[in-house]
Amino acid sequence: MNDVSPNSQVQHEPLFDIGDLLMLIWNKKFRIIITAGAIVTLLGYYVMQMPKVYSAKTTLLLGESSAEMSLPQGLASFASAGDSKLDTYLQYMRSRQFAERVVEQSGLMFRAELVNQNQPDSAKRLAAAQRLQNGLGYSRLGETNMVDVTFESTSPQLAADVVNAVGPVFFEYQQQKSQDRAQDASRWLNEQFEEVERQLEASEATLQDYFLENRLIDLASQISLASSEISTYMSQRIQVDAQAAEMKTMISQFEASGDDVQGLLNVGYIVKNSMVQDLRKRILDEEEDLAEISQRYKFKHPRYIAQVSKIDAMTRELESLIKKLVASLKQEYQIMLERSEEINKLIDEARGRHSELGQHEVNLAKLRREVESTQKLYDIFLSRLQETEILRDLGGQEEFSVVDFASVPTSPSKPNFVLLLAASVVFAGFISVMGWLFIHIVSDKRSRVLSVLASMDVPVLTEIPRIFRTRRKLSTVLKASRDNMRFAESIRTLRTALIVRNDLDENRVIAVTGVKPNDGKSLVAASLSESFAKLEKSMVLDADLRYPSISGAYKLKESLPGLTSFLGNSAPAGKCIHKITDTQLSVMPSGIIPQDPMVYLSKPRFKAFLHKLSIIFERVVIDVPPLEQYSDGLVIGRNVDAIILVCDLEHTETAELVQAIQKLRDVGAPLVGVVFNRVKNLPAAPGQSRRSYLKIPFLHRRKKTGILSPETA
């Protein structure tokens, strides 16, 4: 047994292959041809009734302005609303304003072919403009400046007149617009020129006043002189600072020596002094003389004393000279410091003058730039003003002309009867094929379900016709089904399929369930049990403990004991089974409806009871709840010999049927096949013509006269 998931076969199983499609088309070829012929006839009649439309075309040249005489884009950008003049022209020609201008200047509003002449003039003008705006077509010829203008109308003369009026009206409008634009540009340029002229005069006067106020003659020379002066002062300050530093070093040496003459004599400045050198030489000479005298005379000798006094006087003179030199050096150092400060002041003054001259130079450069820029703008406006005056005198320079005037068309452009008829044939054939294919796909749900069941290896046991179009009580439907030949034949087919089933075990206990509620499983169970009762001892058991209906089908009292009474040990089996008079059929109703049916159906007592029933009766048919909402059928299915799944094709989706089959297979229920219930347009039974089938209700009505019913027959 092949287990198939509920969705795999439904999603991937094709409705039919290409061979089926071709066969379907071949089988319905006459219907397709007749339908296509009817569509072609309707379309052909519509095409022949279409009015003849004439198309006229003229070619216009919309050239650009001459480059030498065009207004500058920077100052006359208002002359073009877009980047391309040709696009601007085309957009204007498509506007309502241009359409109204053409209508007014060419008198088209008085043409009866274009508008209704019974309207007032304002309404006629608006209607004609609307017609022209919607009907005129413009197309550019490649990358050129030429444009094709087309218009379609049922009147060939009107089509030619409309397109021939477009060019002159547009050219006149552009000529007037060019003159107005030149006048506006000239007026605007004059105003701007006067303003620039005033700005130039004011900037020149400001520059001259700045020279006079600051007494500037040759600013570059003054700046160069100030720079040279600063450089000279800087050189002087460097020299003075160097001398002052040297003096400061010597003064530091003096201070370090204190009043020691010998220490001061070690200072280079003192030693190098010529007076000090001369005086020291004289002292040395006198000391040599003293040494010679001391060899001859004692220290008390007058000559010795005189020589010593002379040396002391010279020594004191040397000390005095050294002190004077030290004092002179210090005084000179102070003079150097004062000179350095004086030079710094001179440098600061020179830098101030240089900075002031630099600021004057910046201001003058700014004033000069302002004068130069104003002068350039003045020159530009002057030249453009002269060009504008020339343009205004010469007029517009646009190259507008009609390249090819439209002639009155002699043959209609629309409709193309041959092409439309050919397209109608193709369209009609396609629609006819697709329509019948769609009808087949929508109406042939049965074929799709059969294909899915075949892939799952589940047979269709029988197909039961629909008796009533609306739902009615089971007793009413069961009564009507006994007299319906097609219904009876379908039940007999189901009975035969169960009897001749090639299994080891006999199908003695048979459960009948449905995919969804109201699929008609109770009717099938009751009818099948009645059909078995004609051959053998049979019983129908109502195991639908939620919505029982078997007792109502046979008009038994609801208070009679039944299945729940027996399983609940409240009544013996003999009182729960009720035999139908004059038949081999017995009925066991559901009994009292319990709150939880699974409490009764899952008991071992229920399984043992079914086994005993299979011994007592040849066939036991059990009415089981549907599988979509309840699991009762899955529990019962494990305790029976065969289970039948009833499906209402009209109200059951393929996926729901597959899911119900899969549920039974998952619990190992012995599913023998599917029964299609309430099938519409079911073929007539073997040996019965369609006409005789239509008379079945008549046979039922004449049953009282002695004519046998189909079931009895």
Side-chain angles (χ1 to χ4, degrees):
M1 183 177 296
N2 297 326
D3 292 338
V4 183
S5 63
N7 297 324
S8 60
Q9 292 294 337
V10 177
Q11 293 177 354
H12 302 288
E13 185 68 24
L15 298 180
F16 41 77
D17 56 14
I18 188 64
D20 295 335
L21 177 61
L22 295 177
M23 183 60 67
L24 172 65
I25 295 175
W26 177 254
N27 292 334
K28 297 183 180 295
K29 56 183 178 296
F30 295 109
R31 298 181 184 180
I32 293 174
I33 293 173
I34 294 173
T35 305
I39 297 175
V40 169
T41 302
L42 293 175
L43 293 177
Y45 177 77
Y46 174 77
V47 169
M48 298 304 297
Q49 296 300 319
M50 294 175 64
K52 296 180 180 181
V53 178
Y54 297 86
S55 176
K57 180 178 71 173
T58 183
T59 303
L60 306 179
L61 175 62
L62 308 179
E64 296 182 355
S65 303
S66 176
E68 292 80 6
M69 294 300 178
S70 61
L71 291 176
Q73 293 295 328
L75 300 177
S77 59
F78 53 84
S80 178
D83 295 335
S84 173
K85 279 190 175 182
L86 186 58
D87 292 339
T88 304
Y89 295 154
L90 292 177
Q91 290 298 327
Y92 172 72
M93 295 170 74
R94 295 188 180 99
S95 65
R96 174 181 285 274
Q97 179 184 0
F98 178 71
E100 292 180 355
R101 186 182 293 271
V102 173
V103 169
E104 291 177 356
Q105 297 186 9
S106 59
L108 293 174
M109 58 184 294
F110 301 106
R111 300 287 293 270
E113 305 96 321
L114 191 63
V115 293
N116 185 6
Q117 296 299 313
N118 295 327
Q119 301 176 351
D121 291 345
S122 59
K124 288 191 292 185
R125 182 174 63 255
L126 292 177
Q130 183 69 30
R131 175 71 176 86
L132 259 65
Q133 187 180 12
N134 297 332
L136 283 172
Y138 305 92
S139 60
R140 183 178 179 181
L141 298 180
E143 299 297 329
T144 66
N145 292 327
M146 290 188 292
V147 176
D148 280 342
V149 183
T150 58
F151 185 77
E152 295 179 348
S153 175
T154 55
S155 171
Q157 184 63 46
L158 176 64
D161 293 343
V162 169
V163 294
N164 287 330
V166 170
V169 173
F170 179 75
F171 300 158
E172 181 182 354
Y173 168 75
Q174 290 296 328
Q175 182 71 19
Q176 183 63 36
K177 182 180 177 182
S178 178
Q179 294 179 358
D180 296 341
R181 184 169 62 247
Q183 292 179 358
D184 294 339
S186 177
R187 182 169 54 255
W188 181 79
L189 285 173
N190 275 317
E191 295 175 355
Q192 298 298 320
F193 178 76
E194 293 175 358
E195 180 64 24
V196 171
E197 186 177 17
R198 288 194 296 269
Q199 292 179 1
L200 179 60
E201 293 175 356
S203 59
E204 289 177 347
T206 302
L207 179 62
Q208 185 65 27
D209 293 341
Y210 191 85
F211 270 105
L212 296 177
E213 291 176 359
N214 296 278
R215 299 178 181 179
L216 301 175
I217 299 175
D218 188 358
L219 184 60
S221 300
Q222 292 177 341
I223 292 175
S224 177
L225 181 61
S227 299
S228 300
E229 185 178 1
I230 292 173
S231 178
T232 302
Y233 287 148
M234 290 296 292
S235 299
Q236 292 179 3
R237 189 178 69 176
I238 291 172
Q239 294 177 359
V240 171
D241 290 344
Q243 294 176 1
E246 184 179 359
M247 291 180 181
K248 185 176 181 181
T249 302
M250 290 186 291
I251 291 173
S252 299
Q253 293 177 355
F254 293 159
E255 292 177 352
S257 300
D259 294 336
D260 185 10
V261 176
Q262 293 299 325
L264 293 175
L265 288 175
N266 293 328
V267 178
Y269 176 77
I270 300 298
V271 174
K272 294 178 181 179
N273 189 272
S274 59
M275 295 178 64
V276 173
Q277 291 178 354
D278 181 65
L279 188 56
R280 290 185 66 187
K281 183 177 180 183
R282 287 169 56 196
I283 291 175
L284 290 174
D285 292 339
E286 292 298 332
E287 287 180 347
E288 290 179 356
D289 293 340
L290 180 61
E292 292 178 358
I293 292 175
S294 61
Q295 292 178 357
R296 295 181 182 179
Y297 305 102
K298 300 295 183 180
F299 64 87
K300 293 184 180 181
H301 190 275
R303 190 175 178 181
Y304 181 87
I305 295 171
Q307 188 64 27
V308 171
S309 299
K310 185 177 180 180
I311 291 174
D312 293 338
M314 293 178 66
T315 302
R316 286 192 296 272
E317 183 180 358
L318 178 60
E319 293 177 356
S320 175
L321 178 60
I322 290 173
K323 291 181 179 178
K324 289 180 180 180
L325 288 175
V326 171
S328 174
L329 182 61
K330 292 181 177 180
Q331 184 178 3
E332 187 176 356
Y333 175 71
Q334 293 296 328
I335 293 172
M336 287 296 177
L337 292 179
E338 292 176 359
R339 178 59 180 167
S340 177
E341 293 178 359
E342 182 179 355
I343 292 174
N344 288 332
K345 292 179 180 179
L346 293 176
I347 290 173
D348 292 340
E349 292 176 0
R351 286 178 175 174
R353 290 195 299 274
H354 187 274
S355 177
E356 184 178 358
L357 292 174
Q359 185 63 38
H360 287 316
E361 184 180 20
V362 172
N363 294 336
L364 286 175
K366 182 178 179 181
L367 293 175
R368 288 193 182 99
R369 286 196 301 271
E370 184 177 354
V371 172
E372 290 174 358
S373 62
T374 309
Q375 182 65 44
K376 291 180 181 179
L377 190 60
Y378 176 83
D379 295 339
I380 291 173
F381 272 101
L382 181 60
S383 62
R384 294 298 184 264
L385 183 60
Q386 294 172 353
E387 292 179 3
T388 306
E389 293 296 333
I390 295 174
L391 284 175
R392 187 175 62 179
D393 295 338
L394 293 179
Q397 298 297 318
E398 297 287 351
E399 299 176 1
F400 294 131
S401 63
V402 178
V403 177
D404 188 11
F405 281 97
S407 59
V408 179
T410 57
S411 59
S413 60
K414 295 180 182 179
N416 189 337
F417 294 103
V418 176
L419 181 60
L420 288 177
L421 289 177
S424 300
V425 172
V426 175
F427 176 77
F430 176 77
I431 292 298
S432 179
V433 172
M434 296 305 296
W436 283 109
L437 180 61
F438 176 76
I439 293 172
H440 175 76
I441 292 175
V442 172
S443 62
D444 196 21
K445 184 178 181 181
R446 174 178 173 276
S447 299
R448 298 198 302 272
V449 176
L450 287 175
S451 177
V452 173
L453 292 178
S455 65
M456 300 182 69
D457 195 19
V458 177
V460 177
L461 301 177
T462 187
E463 298 183 38
I464 301 175
R466 182 173 64 178
I467 299 178
F468 295 108
R469 295 183 179 274
T470 58
R471 294 177 184 176
R472 301 192 182 185
K473 292 182 179 181
L474 180 58
S475 59
T476 304
V477 179
L478 184 61
K479 181 179 179 182
S481 67
R482 297 189 183 106
D483 300 324
N484 189 300
M485 183 175 293
R486 286 201 308 166
F487 188 92
E489 184 62 31
S490 300
I491 296 298
R492 284 196 294 269
T493 302
L494 175 60
R495 181 186 66 186
T496 302
L498 294 172
I499 292 176
V500 301
R501 182 185 178 197
N502 295 325
D503 286 346
L504 296 178
D505 298 330
E506 297 181 358
N507 298 324
R508 299 179 68 87
V509 181
I510 304 169
V512 180
T513 184
V515 178
K516 301 172 64 176
N518 301 316
D519 276 351
K521 48 92 179 177
S522 298
L523 175 63
V524 174
S527 300
L528 180 61
S529 63
E530 289 182 1
S531 181
F532 274 122
K534 290 180 172 56
L535 302 177
E536 53 196 4
K537 187 178 180 181
S538 303
M539 173 184 176
V540 58
L541 173 62
D542 192 353
D544 189 349
L545 304 183
R546 301 176 186 274
Y547 299 100
S549 57
I550 296 299
S551 60
Y554 294 97
K555 298 181 179 181
L556 300 178
K557 295 181 180 180
E558 296 181 358
S559 60
L560 291 177
L563 179 61
T564 57
S565 303
F566 172 75
L567 296 178
N569 296 321
S570 61
K575 292 186 178 181
C576 298
I577 300 175
H578 310 279
K579 190 174 185 308
I580 303 300
T581 307
D582 298 333
T583 66
Q584 299 185 71
L585 179 64
S586 298
V587 178
M588 186 173 189
S590 61
I592 300 175
I593 299 176
Q595 293 182 351
D596 187 2
M598 292 300 295
V599 174
Y600 294 88
L601 298 178
S602 60
K603 288 182 178 182
R605 180 179 174 84
F606 176 68
K607 182 177 181 181
F609 179 62
L610 292 180
H611 179 68
K612 292 180 180 180
L613 290 178
S614 65
I615 297 174
I616 299 172
F617 297 94
E618 298 292 334
R619 302 287 174 180
V620 177
V621 181
I622 306 175
D623 184 14
V624 180
L627 298 176
E628 183 184 62
Q629 296 181 350
Y630 311 109
S631 59
D632 300 6
L634 304 178
V635 176
I636 298 174
R638 294 182 298 180
N639 302 323
V640 298
D641 299 329
I643 186 167
I644 300 171
L645 182 61
V646 179
C647 171
D648 185 351
L649 283 178
E650 186 175 353
H651 299 95
T652 303
E653 299 296 332
T654 307
E656 296 173 338
L657 175 59
V658 172
Q659 186 177 11
I661 295 174
Q662 193 63 37
K663 286 181 178 180
L664 294 173
R665 286 182 171 180
D666 290 342
V667 299
L671 176 64
V672 296
V674 176
V675 172
F676 290 163
N677 191 24
R678 298 170 184 162
V679 178
K680 296 186 293 185
N681 301 324
L682 193 66
Q688 173 193 0
S689 66
R690 189 170 184 85
R691 185 176 180 182
S692 62
Y693 160 69
L694 295 175
K695 295 181 179 180
I696 290 175
F698 173 73
L699 293 177
H700 176 63
R701 287 194 299 270
R702 298 186 59 186
K703 187 175 180 180
K704 295 181 180 179
T705 64
I707 299 177
L708 296 178
S709 66
E711 179 66 23
T712 306

